C-alpha cells in the first residue's frame, strides 16, 4: 500500500511541484491562503496562522504574494495549486469514496466545504505530540483530545502543509489496503 501511494506521488504529484520548483514556498503559501479563505467562509472569526485576522488580511496577503512573484509566476503557482487540488480529489478522496471508507455524502461535504484543502497541522503540536505519544501526531480537533484545541483555529505556524498534502496518497492507499 505504501509503495502504491509512493508511486502515485512520483507519477502525479512530483511533476506538478517540479513545474514550480523554485516557487515551491510560494505555492505552499498560496495554497494555505486559499484554505484560509475557505475556513473563514465556514467559520468567520477563525484564528489563522501567520497573524492574519480575517478576510481582508487574507486578500491582502494574496495580493502581496501576486505582486512579489509577478503575474507570470503567480499564474503558474495558481495552476499548480489547482492541479494539486484536482489530484487530491482524484487520488485520495475519490478512491476513499469508491472503497466505502467515506460516504458519498461525506465526499460531497468535504469537496464543498474545503475546495482548497491543504493540511493545517500545527508545527508545535506535532513536535509535542511526537515526543509524547508513539502514535499518529496531528493537531486537529477530532484526533487529539487536547481540550484547548477548538474549532476557532490557531495562529500557530503550520507544519509543512505542502509536504503533508503530497503524502495523502500514501495514507489513502494504506486505509484502502
Amino acid at each position: 500500500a505504501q509503495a502504491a501511494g509512493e508511486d502515485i506521488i512520483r507519477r502525479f504529484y512530483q511533476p506538478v511541484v517540479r513545474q514550480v520548483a523554485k516557487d515551491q514556498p510560494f505555492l505552499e503559501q498560496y495554497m494555505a491562503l486559499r484554505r484560509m479563505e475557505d475556513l473563514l467562509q465556514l467559520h468567520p472569526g477563525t484564528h489563522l496562522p501567520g497573524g492574519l485576522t480575517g478576510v481582508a488580511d487574507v486578500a491582502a496577503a494574496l495580493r502581496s504574494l501576486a505582486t512579489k512573484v509577478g503575474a507570470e509566476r503567480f499564474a503558474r503557482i495558481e495552476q499548480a495549486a489547482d492541479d494539486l487540488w484536482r489530484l487530491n480529489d482524484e487520488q485520495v478522496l475519490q478512491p476513499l469514496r469508491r472503497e466505502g471508507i467515506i460516504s458519498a455524502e461525506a465526499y460531497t461535504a468535504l469537496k464543498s466545504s474545503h475546495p482548497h484543502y491543504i493540511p493545517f497541522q500545527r508545527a508545535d503540536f506535532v513536535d509535542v505530540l511526537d515526543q509524547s505519544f508513539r502514535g499518529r501526531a496531528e493537531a486537529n480537533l477530532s484526533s487529539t483530545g487536547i481540550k484547548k484545541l477548538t474549532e476557532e483555529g490557531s495562529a500557530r505556524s503550520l507544519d509543512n502543509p505542502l509536504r503533508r498534502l503530497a503524502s495523502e496518497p500514501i495514507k489513502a492507499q494504506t486505509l484502502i489496503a
Side-chain angles (χ1 to χ4, degrees):
Q2 179 152 347
E6 289 172 356
D7 188 53
I8 291 168
I9 294 165
R10 182 187 54 78
R11 290 185 308 135
F12 300 109
Y13 285 68
Q14 286 180 345
V16 171
V17 175
R18 266 191 235 119
Q19 290 176 10
V20 293
K22 69 178 183 175
D23 289 327
Q24 189 173 334
F26 300 125
L27 171 63
E28 183 175 79
Q29 182 181 359
Y30 173 78
M31 293 181 78
L33 288 167
R34 294 300 309 274
R35 171 88 196 269
M36 289 178 200
E37 288 178 328
D38 296 345
L39 293 172
L40 288 168
Q41 286 180 4
L42 290 172
H43 305 286
T46 295
H47 299 165
L48 301 170
L52 302 176
T53 59
V55 175
D57 281 356
V58 173
L62 281 167
R63 284 191 306 274
S64 175
L65 177 61
T67 301
K68 182 177 186 173
V69 300
E72 187 177 318
R73 286 170 61 199
F74 191 73
R76 283 196 304 270
I77 289 166
E78 285 180 309
Q79 183 60 56
D82 288 342
D83 290 346
L84 290 171
W85 287 316
R86 177 186 47 78
L87 286 169
N88 188 62
D89 179 41
E90 292 172 359
Q91 302 299 327
V92 177
L93 295 177
Q94 287 181 31
L96 293 175
R97 185 191 68 209
R98 276 194 304 273
E99 295 297 325
I101 295 169
I102 61 174
S103 68
E105 295 80 17
Y107 170 82
T108 301
L110 287 168
K111 290 289 295 169
S112 63
S113 297
H114 304 283
H116 303 110
Y117 173 76
I118 189 165
F120 264 25
Q121 282 86 3
R122 302 312 199 265
D124 55 346
F125 278 117
V126 173
D127 293 341
V128 169
L129 290 174
D130 279 342
Q131 293 169 7
S132 301
F133 305 108
R134 298 287 177 199
R136 184 174 172 204
E138 290 186 0
N140 67 49
L141 186 58
S142 63
S143 70
T144 62
I146 297 172
K147 299 293 183 192
K148 287 183 166 182
L149 194 57
T150 65
E151 290 177 344
E152 288 98 28
S154 169
R156 293 182 167 133
S157 297
L158 299 176
D159 183 53
N160 300 304
L162 186 58
R163 188 184 77 208
R164 287 179 176 279
L165 179 71
S167 71
E168 293 286 316
I170 295 172
K171 290 180 188 178
Q173 290 300 309
T174 302
L175 284 170
I176 289 167

